[in-house]
Amino acid sequence: DTAVSQTPKYLVTQMGNDKSIKCEQNLGHDTMYWYKQDSKKFLKIMFSYNNKELIINETVPNRFSPKSPDKAHLNLHINSLELGDSAVYFCASSQDSLRGTRGGYTFGSGTRLTVV
Amino acid sequence: QQQVKQSPQSLIVQKGGISIINCAYENTAFDYFPWYQQFPGKGPALLIAIRPDVSEKKEGRFTISFNKSAKQFSLHIMDSQPGDSATYFCAASTVSGTYKYIFGTGTRLKVLA
């Protein structure tokens, strides 16, 4: 049983296309995240949802739109893809709550997006 | 002030040796410092974490040393093995309504057989 699963694992698409990445966690965690890892391996947070509510929205182009239909799912839709969007996108979840419990992240295995 | 600086960028260690990776931070509000291990093609996985009320935490061959006054923390891998070859990330977060981790830039460790 995969704890945090992302689909697809690889995505190759042309500039200007719109694409989505899906993420599901079966850990019962309250919080989910999208991170972007660039070619230098740098991990940068993009979004975070807690129980379907957006709680972190970093400086990300508005071509990126997250959507959380329920607390087990967090999808990422990207419009008008650009070459610079090529990266590995990681979904993660945690049992953090805004009342103070703390745990580590569980990451998915990533989606490698290549824009050509 | 939100940065976490990690060094070295890459590290080569002989099997059985000690691998040491260092991180430094500025924001004194950080109160949780995890280390993550990432193998090629996989997502990062939590390895060990520490809070600033202790100076050291050990789990098996992995030890975090924490120096609150210097705002530095480090990961020590004792008896390094080829299977430890991976990229290691330190991170820091703060309880301020959200649990955003700020990650270091990563250290690529290679342990030679």
Side-chain angles (χ1 to χ4, degrees):
Chain A
D1 261 357
T2 304
V4 179
S5 59
Q6 294 178 230
T7 54
K9 189 170 176 65
Y10 301 97
L11 186 52
V12 181
T13 187
Q14 291 188 326
M15 276 195 306
N17 283 352
D18 302 340
K19 290 293 177 186
S20 292
I21 307 171
K22 296 186 175 182
C23 180
E24 176 181 4
Q25 56 96 1
N26 63 5
L27 299 166
H29 286 170
D30 294 324
T31 309
M32 296 184 73
Y33 310 81
W34 278 111
Y35 272 80
K36 179 180 180 180
Q37 187 171 48
D38 62 22
S39 57
K40 294 185 178 179
K41 295 282 194 180
F42 186 60
L43 277 162
K44 188 168 171 25
I45 192 166
M46 301 173 70
F47 302 103
S48 175
Y49 273 75
N50 179 274
N51 277 319
K52 302 194 296 176
E53 179 185 350
L54 180 66
I55 56 172
I56 295 174
N57 185 350
E58 290 294 287
T59 307
V60 176
N62 57 17
R63 299 181 294 103
F64 290 79
S65 53
K67 187 169 281 189
S68 182
D70 55 62
K71 77 171 193 177
H73 295 85
L74 180 61
N75 303 323
L76 183 65
H77 188 75
I78 315 170
N79 289 327
S80 303
L81 278 154
E82 300 177 357
L83 292 176
D85 298 332
S86 295
V88 181
Y89 292 84
F90 285 101
C91 177
S93 71
S94 69
Q95 191 47 58
D96 304 340
S97 84
L98 297 181
R99 285 188 293 276
T101 56
R102 179 69 64 84
Y105 287 5
T106 300
F107 280 88
S109 56
T111 295
R112 183 174 293 274
L113 172 65
T114 304
V115 183
V116 297
Chain B
Q1 209 185 20
Q2 285 292 328
Q3 281 186 329
V4 177
K5 295 181 180 178
Q6 183 172 347
S7 63
Q9 190 173 13
S10 62
L11 183 60
I12 299 175
V13 173
Q14 293 287 338
K15 179 182 175 182
I18 302 173
S19 305
I20 301 174
I21 305 170
N22 301 299
C23 284
Y25 63 97
E26 290 293 324
N27 188 349
T28 55
F30 287 145
D31 68 344
Y32 182 69
F33 302 90
W35 283 90
Y36 282 80
Q37 179 188 54
Q38 184 180 24
F39 292 107
K42 301 291 185 184
L46 179 65
L47 191 61
I48 187 172
I50 198 168
R51 297 184 191 276
D53 52 347
V54 297
S55 60
E56 187 175 281
K57 183 172 182 180
K58 185 176 181 179
E59 289 183 4
R61 295 184 294 109
F62 300 91
T63 300
I64 300 179
S65 296
F66 188 83
N67 186 330
K68 188 173 181 177
S69 60
K71 291 184 281 187
Q72 294 175 347
F73 58 110
S74 59
L75 176 69
H76 295 234
I77 306 174
M78 312 300 287
D79 187 25
S80 298
Q81 299 296 312
D84 297 330
S85 298
T87 300
Y88 292 81
F89 294 92
C90 62
S93 72
T94 179
V95 182
S96 59
T98 61
Y99 294 94
K100 179 173 67 176
Y101 283 11
I102 307 297
F103 281 90
T105 48
T107 296
R108 191 167 295 188
L109 171 66
K110 182 166 186 172
V111 181
L112 302 176

